[in-house]
Amino acid sequence: MYKLFLTLRYLRSRKIAYFAMAAVTLCVAMVLIVMSVMGGWLDQLMWRAKNLLGDVIVENRSYTGFPMYEEFIAEISRWDEITQATPVIHTLGMLRFPDQPITRTVSVVGIRLDEADRVTDFRGSLFYEKFYPGTTTLAPARRPLLGLADTTLNSAVDGQPFRPPALPEPYAGALREARRRHAESGSSEPFDPQSTETETNRVMREWGGPQFPGVFEFVPSEPVLTGEPLPGMIIGRDIVARRESDGRYHRFSWLPKGINFSLTLWATSDSGMVDVTPTIAHFRYVDDSRTGIYDIDSRHVYVEFERLQQLLRMEEGERVDDGGRIAARCSQIQVKVREDVTDEALLALTQRMEAVYQRITQDPEAGLDVDELQMAASVEAKTWQQSQAHIIGPVQKEKMLVTLLFGIISLVAVALILCILYMIVLQKTRDIGIIKSIGGSASGVASIFVLYGAFVGLVGAIFGTGLGYVFITNINEIQDWLISWREDWRIWDLQVYSFDRIPDQMKVWDAIIVGVIGVAASTIGSLVAAWRAGTMHPVEALRYE
Amino acid sequence: MSNAAPTTRPEDTTGAANPDALLQADGIHRTYQLGQVKLNVLTDCSLHVADGEFVGIMGKSGSGKSTLLHVLGALDVPQRGQVRFDGQDVFAPESARRTAIRLLDFLSPFEKRRNGLRRRQFGFVFQFYHLLPELSVLENVLLPRMVAASTRAWFARREAARQDAAAILERVGLGERMKHRPNELSGGERQRVAIARALVHKPRILFADEPTGNLDAAAGRKIMELLSGLHKEGQTIVMVTHDPGVAEFADRVLTLERGKL
C-alpha cells in the first residue's frame, strides 16, 4: 500500500515529473499521428484498389490477351459466389487532343460500362454522370451545345432581361433531376464542390442565371445536339482537367463535353505480332473519371469493349489458312463476388477459376490452335490483394518504417524518464533510508519508482492519445489554418497525393497499442533508477548529505 | 537530569544465550572498506538488553555507536557475530552472509525476518528526525503501519491505524499539528513526530540515535522526559549518545571505545 501512496505523493510534489509526462505525451501523440495518417493512407489505397478492379482479376499480363472468355464468364456466372464478371481489354495508345498540338500516351481500357459499374462502381467515379445522371454512354452519341433558353430572366447586375443559357435534352432534364436529389438530400455542400468556377458559371452567378457543372461549348442559338454520332470515351480526369492545390479541378474552356478526340492504336495478332500500321479512331469525350489514384487518372481512357476489340482485331474471326474459327480475346476479366465471401474463400475461388478456365480451353471442342493454347496456359486468377500487392506492399512497409523511426525517436522520452527518475532517486535518498528503516524491502522500494515510471507513462499515454486524437481529427483544419497564413505551408500537396483529404481517423487499436507501449517504455525507463533505489544500503542512505 | 544513577558494568562476552535478554549481540565485528583502507568499526562487541530495560551506549564521535545501533536494529549486517532477538538469530550464518543489498533479497528468509523485525518489533528515532517532507505529520506517523500492511489489510485497518496515530501524536503533544508538514514544525516538534512514528506500531524495542543531538537544551530535555516516561510505561529503549547528561536517563550505560564495549 505504501508503494502506491508514496508514488502518488511523489508524483504530486515533484514538478519535474511533469516534464517526463510531457515527453511521453508528445511521443505518444507523435507516433499516433504518424500511424493514423499512414494507416489511413494505406486503408484508402486498399479500398480504392479493391474498388478499382473487382474482387478477382483473371489475366495473362499480355496485350495479346486470351481466348474463351465468354464461355468462362458464362460458366462462373452460374456460381453462387459470383455477382458479376466482365471482360476488359488493356492496350496502349496515343491520344490526340482536338485542335491542339497535344498528343499523349495513354493506357486504353475497353469496358462494358454497365457490367463494369456492377463490378467496380465505375459510374461513381464519373463527373458528368453525377450531374447529368443517365447521360453517359460509350455508345455512339452526339455533342451537346449550350444554347439560349426560349425564356428570359432579369439580370441581377442591371435589371435588364436576358436569355439565360440552356442545355438540350436529355441533359437539361437530367440536371434538373440531379438538383432535385441534391436539394432533397439536405446536404450543406455546394452542388459541385470539386470544380473551380468556369467563366460561364461566374457570369451566370453575377447575373443570377443558371449554373452548369462542367464545360459545354456555347452557341448563341437554340441548345442542340450536334455532330455525327461517335463512340464515347471516358477520360481520366487528370488528363482533361488540372488538379489545383486545394484538391479542386480546373476545367478548360477548350475541352468541352462532347469534343472529338482521336486515338491511335496498334493491333496485336494472336501470335503476338504488333501491327506496324496504326489504327486511328475518333471518339467523343463523354465524361471523365476519377478513381483517386493519380497514376490511373492521369493515364487511363475508357472506350467501349466491343469497339476496342474490333480496333485491335481481337474479335472472333475466321482463320485464313484452314477456315477454322479464331476465338475472340480480352486481356482481363474482372469479377465481383458476394460481400460475405471471406479472404480464404476468395483465394480458393481463384484456384477454382483457374482450373475451370484450363478445362474450358483444353477441351478439344474449343478448337484452339497452338498460339491460343499458349495464351490460355499463362492465364492466372488473382485476388485483389495479390493483384495490387505491388502498390499496397510498399505502402505497408513505408507505414511500418515510419512508425518504427518515430518509435526510435520516442526512445528520447525513455532516456529522459531514466534521467529524471535517477535524479529523483538521488534527491530522495534519505527517504529511501527511512522507508527501509521502517521495514520497506529492497523490492518494495524499487517498486515505488517502477510504479512512478508507469504512472508517468500512463498519464503521458492518456494525454498523448487525447492530443493525438484532437490533432488527427482536426488535421485538415490545421492545414487549412496554416495555408491561410502562407500557401507554402501546405503539408499535404493534393497535386502529389491522390486523396483529397489527409486521413483523419484514429483507430482504437492503434491508440491502445501505442498507449501500452508508451506505459511500458516509461516503466522500462524507470528500471535503472528503481534498481539503484532498491539496492541502496539503508545506513548509507540515512547518512546521505 | 535523571532520577536514578545509571550503572556501568562489563558485558558478557562468552556468546552464550542469555535467557533474560530480549536482544543479545555476540562478538559483533563490522568493518568498512574505504578505498584501500579497511576500517574496523566494531570489534567483538557483545551486549544484552533485557525486556523493559533502558540501555544507553556512550562513546566519542566516530567510536562506532551508531554502527552498533544499526546492527542491533537489523539495519546493518555485521561480517562476524550474531544478534538474537527473542532468542532467534537476526542474521544468516556467517558463511552465507552478505552486507550488500540485492533486489532479490526478499527471497532470503533472513532478509524477510530483518524486514519483519523493523516493521513490527523495532522502532527508530534518528538525530536528524528523518521525516518525509512530502507527508503531513499524521501521514509520517502512519507510514510504518502502511509498510507493515498489505493493501487489503490496510484498507481493513486504516481507521484503527489512524486512531492509533492520533493517540500517539496526542501523547507526544502534537494532537493539533497532525495536518502540518514537517517544515512547519520546530526541531523539537519534529523529533516528537519521529518518536510518534517509531512507536505507532508498538515496537518492543525503540532504538534512539542521538535523539537530542540536533536540539537545544530545553527541547532536548523535553524529548528525554518523553523517552523516560515511555520507559516507565515498560518500553525497552536502546539509546546512543555522546552526552553524559542524556545518558543519565538510562538504567544502564555502556561505553564504546575504539569499536569495543
Side-chain angles (χ1 to χ4, degrees):
Chain A
M1 178 61 212
Y2 73 99
K3 299 159 205 164
L4 185 64
F5 174 72
L6 287 176
T7 301
L8 294 175
R9 194 49 66 90
Y10 285 164
L11 269 176
R12 225 168 57 185
S13 63
R14 300 276 116 184
K15 302 283 183 290
I16 198 163
Y18 299 154
F19 288 102
M21 285 176 196
V24 178
T25 298
L26 289 176
C27 287
V28 166
M30 183 172 70
V31 174
L32 265 178
I33 290 165
V34 167
M35 276 181 84
S36 299
V37 171
M38 293 297 293
W41 187 27
L42 182 64
D43 288 348
Q44 286 189 27
L45 206 63
M46 287 176 77
W47 186 83
R48 294 261 162 95
K50 187 176 183 216
N51 282 277
L52 206 62
L53 299 170
D55 300 307
V56 176
I57 300 98
V58 182
E59 61 184 355
N60 70 344
R61 287 185 291 177
S62 163
Y63 285 119
T64 315
F66 55 90
M68 307 297 288
Y69 63 89
E70 290 290 14
E71 291 80 352
F72 173 71
I73 289 173
E75 175 144 0
I76 64 167
S77 295
R78 288 197 290 270
W79 297 357
D80 280 349
E81 300 92 331
I82 309 298
T83 310
Q84 178 72 54
T86 184
V88 176
I89 293 175
H90 286 279
T91 191
L92 292 175
M94 301 286 280
L95 183 72
R96 182 160 184 274
F97 283 56
D99 306 324
Q100 297 284 329
I102 304 172
T103 309
R104 290 178 66 164
T105 311
V106 288
S107 181
V108 187
V109 187
I111 56 169
R112 288 174 179 163
L113 186 55
D114 290 336
E115 288 180 8
D117 185 47
R118 284 194 285 273
V119 174
T120 63
D121 189 25
F122 186 71
R123 277 204 170 90
S125 73
L126 303 180
F127 175 79
Y128 287 102
E129 179 66 14
K130 181 180 173 190
F131 303 108
Y132 309 92
T135 59
T136 295
T137 171
L138 296 176
R142 302 173 75 194
R143 177 181 178 190
L145 297 178
L146 193 65
L148 291 169
D150 50 12
T151 55
T152 57
L153 285 174
N154 289 331
S155 167
V157 178
D158 55 11
Q160 295 296 312
F162 73 99
R163 284 176 71 187
L167 279 170
E169 292 299 341
Y171 297 95
L175 181 61
R176 275 196 302 275
E177 176 63 15
R179 282 197 196 283
R180 188 186 62 77
R181 281 189 213 160
H182 182 260
E184 279 177 6
S185 73
S187 169
S188 58
E189 274 208 329
F191 187 48
D192 176 15
Q194 288 193 334
S195 304
T196 58
E197 195 172 46
T198 60
E199 183 60 18
T200 310
N201 283 339
R202 188 188 62 74
V203 172
M204 282 303 106
R205 182 169 50 77
E206 285 172 11
W207 288 17
Q211 307 269 307
F212 300 95
V215 177
F216 294 87
E217 189 174 341
F218 177 74
V219 286
S221 58
E222 298 302 312
V224 287
L225 295 172
T226 187
E228 60 173 319
L230 281 178
M233 174 191 278
I234 295 167
I235 303 177
R237 193 164 303 165
D238 287 284
I239 299 173
V240 289
R242 188 180 66 229
R243 190 170 162 85
E244 302 288 348
S245 55
D246 62 1
R248 293 190 302 163
Y249 277 91
H250 174 79
R251 291 172 179 279
F252 306 105
S253 58
W254 51 273
L255 280 175
K257 180 175 160 70
I259 201 166
N260 180 346
F261 277 82
S262 67
L263 192 61
T264 307
L265 301 164
W266 288 266
T268 311
S269 73
D270 58 357
S271 63
M273 291 287 287
V274 178
D275 193 339
V276 290
T277 311
T279 306
I280 299 174
H282 296 274
F283 292 89
R284 216 172 268 300
Y285 161 42
V286 292
D287 213 326
D288 50 76
S289 149
R290 181 165 184 270
T291 61
I293 295 177
Y294 182 76
D295 252 13
I296 291 173
D297 297 337
S298 62
R299 292 194 58 201
H300 281 208
V301 298
Y302 306 84
V303 296
E304 221 267 316
F305 176 81
E306 274 74 15
R307 174 72 181 140
L308 185 62
Q309 194 178 42
Q310 205 178 25
L311 290 169
L312 297 174
R313 295 197 280 282
M314 290 169 82
E315 81 276 36
E316 191 175 70
E318 199 172 296
R319 206 170 279 130
V320 181
D321 48 1
D322 59 2
R325 174 177 160 267
I326 301 172
R329 287 172 283 138
C330 74
S331 42
Q332 192 179 62
I333 297 167
Q334 297 177 353
V335 184
K336 173 87 175 162
V337 302
R338 271 197 343 243
E339 292 291 331
D340 58 354
V341 174
T342 61
D343 286 351
E344 292 75 24
L346 197 64
L347 205 60
L349 207 59
T350 58
Q351 290 161 358
R352 209 170 128 207
M353 283 181 187
E354 282 180 6
V356 166
Y357 181 75
Q358 293 309 325
R359 178 173 55 73
I360 290 172
T361 52
Q362 284 165 13
D363 184 349
E365 294 269 308
L368 298 183
D369 67 9
V370 177
D371 290 335
E372 287 170 327
L373 282 171
Q374 272 184 345
M375 283 182 237
S378 58
V379 168
E380 288 177 319
K382 291 177 189 164
T383 65
W384 65 273
Q385 290 108 320
Q386 289 171 328
S387 160
Q388 296 298 302
H390 64 288
I391 299 174
I392 296 166
V395 178
Q396 270 173 332
K397 280 183 186 158
E398 194 177 334
K399 180 194 173 190
M400 219 160 70
L401 187 71
V402 173
T403 307
L404 192 71
L405 286 176
F406 277 85
I408 290 168
I409 294 168
S410 301
L411 288 178
V412 173
V414 177
L416 190 72
I417 288 164
L418 192 152
C419 295
I420 288 174
L421 278 180
Y422 204 86
M423 213 160 76
I424 291 172
V425 165
L426 288 181
Q427 285 175 353
K428 307 309 289 177
T429 297
R430 267 204 190 168
D431 288 15
I432 291 164
I434 296 163
I435 295 160
K436 289 193 168 182
S437 76
I438 56 177
S441 63
S443 53
V445 169
S447 55
I448 291 172
F449 293 93
V450 174
L451 269 175
Y452 194 101
F455 267 104
V456 165
L458 185 66
V459 174
I462 291 169
F463 279 105
T465 305
L467 179 67
Y469 179 78
V470 170
F471 193 91
I472 277 291
T473 49
N474 292 289
I475 194 163
N476 288 290
E477 286 73 14
I478 292 168
Q479 180 177 253
D480 291 345
W481 180 76
L482 283 174
I483 298 163
S484 71
W485 289 91
R486 270 188 73 168
E487 178 62 30
D488 297 1
W489 290 351
R490 182 181 290 282
I491 305 157
W492 188 265
D493 192 336
L494 297 170
Q495 284 172 313
V496 177
Y497 296 98
S498 46
F499 306 112
D500 293 339
R501 288 174 67 80
I502 307 172
D504 58 0
Q505 299 293 312
M506 185 189 280
K507 287 181 187 161
V508 176
W509 272 112
D510 282 353
I512 291 171
I513 290 167
V514 174
V516 168
I517 291 173
V519 175
S522 180
T523 309
I524 290 167
S526 72
L527 290 181
V528 174
W531 176 82
R532 171 90 176 88
T535 55
M536 209 174 263
H537 199 289
V539 173
E540 287 168 21
L542 286 167
R543 284 181 180 153
Y544 184 79
E545 293 294 331
Chain B
M1 287 171 82
S2 171
N3 301 329
T7 57
T8 303
R9 65 186 187 213
E11 285 296 312
D12 175 15
T13 56
T14 60
N18 183 337
D20 297 331
L22 177 64
L23 185 75
Q24 181 170 354
D26 295 312
I28 300 298
H29 284 260
R30 184 65 173 104
T31 304
Y32 287 105
Q33 190 77 37
L34 294 175
Q36 299 289 320
V37 183
K38 203 174 189 181
L39 202 63
N40 294 316
V41 181
L42 298 175
T43 312
D44 197 20
C45 286
S46 299
L47 68 93
H48 69 268
V49 179
D51 199 4
E53 198 177 9
F54 189 164
V55 176
I57 299 170
M58 279 197 68
K60 288 178 189 166
S61 184
S63 60
K65 310 183 292 290
S66 293
T67 304
L68 178 60
L69 193 80
H70 292 149
V71 170
L72 294 175
L75 270 177
D76 203 355
V77 181
Q79 276 91 355
R80 284 195 280 138
Q82 185 58 275
V83 174
R84 289 187 190 87
F85 174 76
D86 228 2
Q88 285 194 303
D89 287 354
V90 171
F91 302 109
E94 285 172 16
S95 57
R97 197 178 295 171
R98 280 180 305 96
T99 54
I101 308 284
R102 291 189 315 174
L103 278 183
L104 296 178
D105 277 347
F106 67 93
L107 297 173
S108 149
F110 279 96
E111 183 61 27
K112 270 190 197 168
R113 176 162 164 70
R114 283 170 55 204
N115 286 338
L117 286 173
R118 295 202 299 267
R119 280 177 191 174
R120 295 183 185 88
Q121 310 292 355
F122 300 163
F124 285 92
V125 178
F126 301 100
Q127 180 180 355
F128 296 103
Y129 333 121
H130 289 336
L131 302 174
L132 300 189
E134 278 90 358
L135 309 189
S136 69
V137 165
L138 181 66
E139 288 165 343
N140 263 292
V141 174
L142 278 172
L143 197 58
R145 294 287 288 263
M146 268 190 219
V147 172
S150 63
T151 305
R152 188 186 286 182
W154 170 251
F155 282 109
R157 297 178 207 148
R158 187 172 48 176
E159 206 40 54
R162 207 179 282 270
Q163 283 171 10
D164 289 348
I168 196 83
L169 280 168
E170 288 286 352
R171 170 84 171 78
V172 299
L174 290 171
E176 303 298 314
R177 312 294 299 268
M178 286 195 283
K179 290 186 177 171
H180 287 230
R181 291 289 170 98
N183 62 3
E184 295 165 342
L185 305 178
S186 68
E189 286 171 329
R190 289 185 206 185
Q191 195 58 297
R192 279 188 275 158
V193 175
I195 291 170
R197 183 182 64 191
L199 294 172
V200 72
H201 57 297
K202 301 181 177 70
R204 294 187 61 191
I205 303 182
L206 178 67
F207 293 98
D209 186 359
E210 301 273 16
T212 61
N214 210 32
L215 302 174
D216 60 41
R221 182 170 185 82
K222 279 185 184 170
I223 292 295
M224 286 318 300
E225 284 169 0
L226 180 60
L227 289 179
S228 182
L230 290 166
H231 168 53
K232 281 177 186 159
E233 290 167 17
Q235 179 67 53
T236 308
I237 301 174
V238 178
M239 180 182 70
V240 155
T241 182
H242 66 277
D243 183 349
V246 170
E248 281 177 10
F249 283 85
D251 297 337
R252 181 159 63 97
V253 176
L254 306 173
T255 305
L256 192 64
E257 269 181 33
R258 291 181 195 158
K260 284 193 171 184
L261 276 170

